[in-house]
Amino acid sequence: QAVNNDLIFFSDKQWYSFDECIKRLMIELNQKYKITKDVWLAVERYNGSGQHAIDYMNNVKQFYSWIKYKS
């Protein structure tokens, strides 16, 4: 997602590091979760608002169900 206030992330090309990307993902999701207190709503808000964000959340739900079923 958009990281527009982290100069080091771009100048040091940290986007090549999976760990750095996951770290930022978790920061964003945790911030959204603190506001919503709902995992799926946090995932939706992570991707913005409107139908596109709802579709994104539904896709993540589907992927989760597949992964959960396989485990």
Side-chain angles (χ1 to χ4, degrees), residues 48-60:
S49 62
Q51 189 60 48
H52 182 75
I54 293 168
D55 293 343
Y56 177 87
M57 181 259 310
N58 286 329
N59 287 338
V60 173

Side-chain angles (χ1 to χ4, degrees), residues 37-70:
K37 303 293 189 220
D38 180 276
V39 170
W40 296 118
L41 193 52
V43 170
E44 178 185 334
R45 300 266 172 88
Y46 171 77
N47 205 50
S49 62
Q51 189 60 48
H52 182 75
I54 293 168
D55 293 343
Y56 177 87
M57 181 259 310
N58 286 329
N59 287 338
V60 173
K61 273 186 174 179
Q62 182 63 60
F63 295 143
Y64 176 73
S65 73
W66 292 336
I67 293 167
K68 185 177 176 185
Y69 178 74
K70 297 282 185 186

Side-chain angles (χ1 to χ4, degrees), residues 13-44:
K13 297 184 180 181
Q14 291 180 354
W15 66 83
Y16 285 117
S17 167
F18 189 71
D19 289 341
E20 288 297 324
C21 291
I22 292 295
K23 183 170 105 177
R24 282 163 178 79
L25 164 71
M26 293 310 299
I27 289 168
E28 288 291 321
L29 284 176
N30 282 324
Q31 288 173 348
K32 304 298 184 205
Y33 183 76
K34 283 180 186 178
I35 295 167
T36 65
K37 303 293 189 220
D38 180 276
V39 170
W40 296 118
L41 193 52
V43 170
E44 178 185 334

